[in-house]
Amino acid sequence: MSKSPVLEVEDLKTHFFTKAGVARAVDGVSFSLARGEVLGLVGESGSGKTVTGFSLMGLVDPPGRVVGGSIRLAGEELVGKSERDWRSLRGRKIAMIFQDPMMTLNPVLRVDTQMIEAIRAHEHVSEEAARERARAALARVGIPSPDERLVAYPHQFSGGMRQRVAIAIALLNEPEVIVADEPTTALDVTIQAQILYEVQKLCAETGLAMIWITHDLAVVGGLADRVAVMYAGRIVEEGPVGEVLDGPLHPYTRGLIGSVPSHNQRGRRLTQIPGMAPSLLALPPGCSFAARCPRADAACTQMPELVSASDRRGVRCHHPHRPDEPAYEGGSA
């Protein structure tokens, strides 16, 4: 499988222009994605990860807009595309799976109607050929009796099945990249595990590249190949998922891991990151995490660059941890 980048994002900036000021929701994000690769995009609520996903899809509406940077999909620049061009691209070259499957599904239309329309919006194929592709897509994501499910309405599906249908719709036109915005958050653990298995298998078998947006480090650890950690609109650490989770370099990443119950000894109080994330309307000068960071000093009044910590890892910090330091209180890296 080719590991050349299918998606290249460079210095992406998406700002929201409000009466209270300019919110820099995404403020200089860069990463690349290879074919068949799953990138976990992790951070607290408000870190900018979902806005990053919407920016990649051309779905940022006023008062927000992409104000700078580059998004190249298979070498084609997407920033500055017209809405007409975006409609041609969405679903065909890049698709999105939303947290709520009802953002994808129309509650008053049968599943077959919606899936056939999604195919024929991009290709001139017969209705019968489109129906067969829809049936195959349902089977691919593990939906039993796909012929019966095709003629059902969304309300006749469980939450897990609705999310599988949404994933099947995203796969219909065989896009090169899928952006998944916390699509399993509302599902129980068993159903979540089944869907993650299906997604991982699809990426491995078809070369589909995926960005999985989540706040759940356990999901990222079991699904992603690489992880990028976001804080206050910027990526603060990135690298292979096992290396980042076992030996985090940025104090924020270390705090996130320390707050996960499975990473702490039974009966030990969970580690908490003190304070709150800064307002995107008034980001402090220098490092945005400095006010919450035990390692901060005068150097942190200057914004650190995202620098290479090794040939496969990057960190945005003046005082990063060593990979061999304990990853959290009471444990070892």
Side-chain angles (χ1 to χ4, degrees), residues 38-318:
V38 180
L39 172 69
L41 197 57
V42 180
E44 294 173 280
S45 295
S47 62
K49 57 190 187 298
T50 292
V51 176
T52 298
F54 275 56
S55 300
L56 299 178
M57 295 295 303
L59 292 174
V60 177
D61 293 324
R65 70 172 185 267
V66 175
V67 298
S70 171
I71 303 169
R72 293 186 298 276
L73 178 61
E76 180 180 1
E77 180 60 59
L78 303 187
V79 173
K81 290 278 190 187
S82 67
E83 180 54 32
R84 180 178 180 180
D85 288 339
W86 271 114
R87 283 197 298 270
S88 173
L89 286 167
R90 288 190 209 109
R92 183 172 59 88
K93 288 192 172 183
I94 185 167
M96 190 163 193
I97 305 166
F98 297 94
Q99 182 172 348
D100 180 1
M102 295 310 285
M103 290 185 69
T104 300
L105 301 173
N106 187 323
V108 300
L109 294 178
R110 290 188 341 189
V111 167
D112 59 352
T113 300
Q114 298 183 58
M115 297 184 77
I116 289 168
E117 286 182 357
I119 295 170
R120 300 183 78 184
H122 296 287
E123 295 182 48
H124 297 292
V125 298
S126 68
E127 181 173 336
E128 192 53 43
R131 180 182 298 278
E132 177 55 30
R133 272 174 52 183
R135 189 201 66 76
L138 292 184
R140 181 186 290 178
V141 298
I143 293 180
S145 305
D147 291 304
E148 295 176 21
R149 296 295 189 173
L150 275 175
V151 296
Y153 289 86
H155 73 269
Q156 295 174 291
F157 290 77
S158 66
M161 283 296 180
R162 278 198 294 267
Q163 195 58 276
R164 287 174 188 255
V165 173
I167 294 171
I169 290 175
L171 293 168
L172 277 175
N173 293 295
E174 299 182 350
E176 297 181 82
V177 175
I178 286 182
V179 179
D181 185 14
E182 305 204 52
T184 61
T185 297
L187 305 178
D188 67 62
V189 176
T190 302
I191 300 301
Q192 184 181 81
Q194 292 173 359
I195 290 178
L196 293 177
Y197 169 76
E198 298 292 350
V199 165
Q200 201 168 34
K201 186 171 70 171
L202 283 168
C203 291
E205 291 177 352
T206 67
L208 170 71
M210 180 172 288
I211 299 171
W212 193 276
I213 298 170
T214 185
H215 64 275
D216 191 332
L217 289 170
V219 168
V220 166
L223 173 68
D225 301 297
R226 289 191 302 123
V227 62
V229 181
M230 286 194 72
Y231 183 80
R234 299 183 178 100
I235 290 176
V236 296
E237 184 167 355
E238 64 176 344
V241 66
E243 293 183 24
V244 172
L245 296 185
D246 290 342
L249 304 177
H250 198 282
Y252 175 63
T253 311
R254 192 163 291 254
L256 286 180
I257 292 171
S259 67
V260 176
S262 62
H263 283 174
N264 286 267
Q265 293 178 4
R266 183 180 296 274
R268 182 182 293 274
R269 184 182 295 273
L270 295 180
T271 303
Q272 291 183 318
I273 301 174
M276 297 179 63
S279 168
L280 296 176
L281 291 167
L283 291 173
C287 175
S288 300
F289 189 63
R292 308 174 73 185
C293 180
R295 300 168 76 90
D297 62 14
C300 302
T301 59
Q302 302 295 318
M303 172 58 68
E305 297 294 325
L306 186 68
V307 298
S308 296
S310 70
D311 59 345
R312 300 196 298 171
R313 297 188 65 177
V315 61
R316 187 188 298 274
C317 185
H318 291 298

